[in-house]
Amino acid sequence: MSELLVPWWAQQLTLCGWPLVSDPRFALSADQAFERLLSLGVGGRDEFAWRLWEEAASTDGLPLSRLAGLELLALGSVVGWVPERTDEAWLLALASDIVKSFSTLKAWLQALAPLNDPALDAAGQELLVRERQQRGVSWLKLRHRLGSTEAVVPLWPTDLWRARAAMAPVLAWPVESSSDERRQHQALLREQGEVNGRDELKSLLFWLAGQGHRYGWEMDAVRVARQGPETRAEWLSGLNDQQDYGRVLLRFLDDQEPSDWAAWDWLRLVDQAYLGYCAGWLSASEAESFAAHAIDLLQQRYADWEAIAQAYQRGRSLFEGRDLRDSFERDWADLLGAAVTPWKMPLSRILGDEQRQAARELVRQHREGAGSWVLTVASIRDPDLIHRRHLDEPLGQARIQDAERYLEDVLGLRCEEGAAGLARFWMPAQAHHLNQLAADSRHIAGRKLPRGSSQRLAACADHAATISMAEKYAFYLVMASDSGRYPATEIEALAQSLCDVLSRFYSDPLRMLSAWHAWEIVLSQDETPDEVSLADDIAWHRRDPGSPFHWLTPSRSLTWLEPGVRPTLRRFTAISLAGPLNEALWQAPQPLAPQDQEALGEWIEHQYALQGARGLVDFLDFLVEAGDRQDYQVNYAPYTLNRTRLKAEIAILESGECAEEDRVHLLRLKHVRDNACHCNDQDMTAWDIAQLVDLALAGRQLDWLDEARLSRYLDTALQLAERHYSSWQDYAEGLYSGFGFFMDDTPEREAFLLRFREALTAWLEASPLLAGAWASLDFPGCAMTHWTSFHVDILPGESRQLH
């Protein structure tokens, strides 16, 4: 049809002052055409594409008004903004609309010019008639040919870039940009996203895909939706210069507008990928892969183009801080409804399988490696980590110093401990404890928790709890890496170890997120009121298809080693005999750094008057052989059989001045008289056992005991507990009696006893859940009463005992 269209095109352009040539694409030079475009207010490809498409999409079919479209097309063709294969398609679209809009030749000719022009002489009138006849012949031929043509006009060079029409239609791909155009696009990227080069651009593109603005907006929406009017007002006032955004968000919530604006990020991902190619910072294949990834995500979230446009409009409203919902029809009418819109093709058809797979492979490669696992898991606590790909990326001095302060001041992790010190933050016994509680709650086996807590725990029985411990370890590992303290090889080994464990305990990252979410809901209810739950953040990553979690590749290593020691169930039971004499210890103890050893040694000297390893060992042996229990049996138990002698002894001691030793003796005699803390009714061996275990663990942290000697003391403690008690409840009563009987006189005695009693109850009932481990452990020597967990993240039992 070009033999008719092109001459007709040239003929129409003479009305705009163009010379009459056979092909208008050769009528002007590129410089002349560009100057003409500038005079029309068109300075670049995007503005040109918008103007040309608007002309084609316009419902105004008058020939003279459509001449602007024909001229734009010619100018764009000359400067190379419309490819040769595409310009005739656009010409056909413009010609078809013009010619078909007039039912008769007379209507066509009348629209072109009046039948009589008084300003023309006879020769001019004759020339006008001849020209009109020639145009009429052209019109008749075109109308005949166009009327018999049903072919789809291929205006868009590739389906992949149709999504970018929200910013500007793409008329050509790949684009051959001049050096001036590349500089313009680079300046535009710097202006829009503070992007100064290829690496920063790629970081931005992955951020738009994996988090974008939508994450922060949705977190605000979820949390503000749960608040009352006063709290909402306080939140709004705290936004400072972002209050316009806050007001729009609150209006959306009041109107029950869907809290979905992912299209704002993903359409911009397409746009920025295109601009990145035009700027010379991305190859064509890279830009295509990023655009394909965006479309892949859009297809997973939205059913059609209109849903995308609605979500984008909401996102733009939040970004600009003004509600743009009322302008939706005006802003999107042409894209959604025009006959020649790039969005005429359904959303579901614009991405081929090969492009989809290539895009997914690009993202998986970006997220591959153990370091990506660590950064992604840690990003729940620190969302800014989403920008990073490697643990060993160069960091600013401020970040390095912040990480060092965190290790030193918050974690108490000293340089002298080396990377091995991180092992004390790997607590598999904690995961075992939680899994056991969940398994028991499902079967209601001896649980003393309130019914609501038991039901919440039962819902976690299908989810391994390792992630609730491992996610904190991942964050600490990032801090350790950022501090620069440790060799990169050691950090890499620990990262690989964490990746291997999580891949072994969870079939895929989404299963891991499900487990994390379930446990976070339960555990966050035990936190202090000012502690922010991560449940909302985890839920966002579960449902957002762009989240990095969806693109992690599990480790398939057949050999793996945990980042820390996994104690046996028997060893952990022995450690737990210390009870609330100290904070719950969820891992095997290891030697501390010198300054911490010094502080612990001073505490032991102050509390027990013990100095050095020899003194500690002698006291531990004393606790094994006799302990405070023997003191009671020899010096106080006989008084329970002779109340008269007891009263007399008390009276004698009260009648005179008492030395320190006599004062202590008098105090304990009164405890016997009053049966304080049921001291006369209970076996107080638990007091010696708990001290034995607590001090033995401290001895290992001081490096005064080696592993072998620690094991012997722990085994002895287990044997004593088994011989003297039948349950954790009995053990707790004995421990309470011993604590109260041997406590020194103090004005705070009743407060101390109350707190210790509450701590014992917390250990027995696991309320809060991580108060202590007695609720999840069988008492030494007793038959198994707990249900077996279905997870592999449990502590191994002894070889002779199934668990």
Side-chain angles (χ1 to χ4, degrees), residues 441-505:
S441 293
R442 171 161 288 184
H443 297 281
I444 317 297
R447 302 292 299 123
K448 295 183 179 180
L449 290 174
R451 180 173 177 81
S453 299
S454 184
Q455 289 176 341
R456 291 192 296 271
L457 274 171
C460 292
D462 293 328
H463 302 290
T466 294
I467 184 60
S468 65
M469 169 269 297
E471 64 92 1
K472 298 181 184 67
Y473 180 86
F475 182 75
Y476 303 156
L477 186 57
V478 172
M479 293 293 104
S481 176
D482 290 356
S483 71
R485 282 185 179 182
Y486 311 105
T489 54
E490 295 184 2
I491 295 294
E492 290 171 5
L494 292 174
Q496 187 62 57
S497 177
L498 178 63
C499 176
D500 290 344
V501 171
L502 295 178
S503 298
R504 181 177 176 86
F505 290 169

Side-chain angles (χ1 to χ4, degrees), residues 358-369:
R360 292 183 174 183
E361 185 59 28
L362 172 73
V363 183
R364 290 192 184 100
Q365 287 178 1
H366 180 75
R367 304 292 182 190
E368 69 180 353

Side-chain angles (χ1 to χ4, degrees), residues 377 381 422-435 464-477 498 501-502 505-506 512 515-516 519-520 523 534 560 562-567 586-587 770 793-795:
V377 171
R381 288 192 174 271
L422 285 164
R424 57 189 167 96
F425 301 103
W426 182 256
M427 298 177 284
Q430 189 180 93
H432 171 96
H433 168 71
L434 294 174
N435 283 328
T466 294
I467 184 60
S468 65
M469 169 269 297
E471 64 92 1
K472 298 181 184 67
Y473 180 86
F475 182 75
Y476 303 156
L477 186 57
L498 178 63
V501 171
L502 295 178
F505 290 169
Y506 304 98
M512 181 181 73
W516 192 356
W519 279 109
E520 179 66 18
L523 291 172
L534 300 177
W560 57 284
E562 292 188 61
V565 176
R566 180 171 288 261
W586 300 103
Q587 74 282 349
L770 297 178
D793 61 337
I794 58 174
L795 299 183

Side-chain angles (χ1 to χ4, degrees), residues 77 83 146 235 248-249 262 276 342 406 412 441 462 521 527 785 792:
S77 298
L146 291 172
W235 170 80
V248 174
L249 182 63
Y406 185 86
S441 293
D462 293 328
I521 290 175
E527 301 288 348
T785 60
V792 293

Side-chain angles (χ1 to χ4, degrees), residues 102 152 169 231 310 680:
F102 294 91
V152 177
T231 309
Q310 293 279 6
N680 303 327

Side-chain angles (χ1 to χ4, degrees), residues 56-75:
S58 173
T59 57
D60 179 7
L62 294 177
L64 290 178
S65 63
R66 287 306 176 85
L67 284 177
L70 293 174
E71 183 178 22
L72 270 177
L73 178 59
L75 293 170

Side-chain angles (χ1 to χ4, degrees), residues 764-790:
L764 289 168
E765 298 184 359
S767 181
L769 294 175
L770 297 178
W774 292 350
S776 64
L777 295 172
D778 291 313
F779 192 76
C782 293
M784 292 176 58
T785 60
H786 293 281
W787 290 85
T788 302
S789 172
F790 293 105

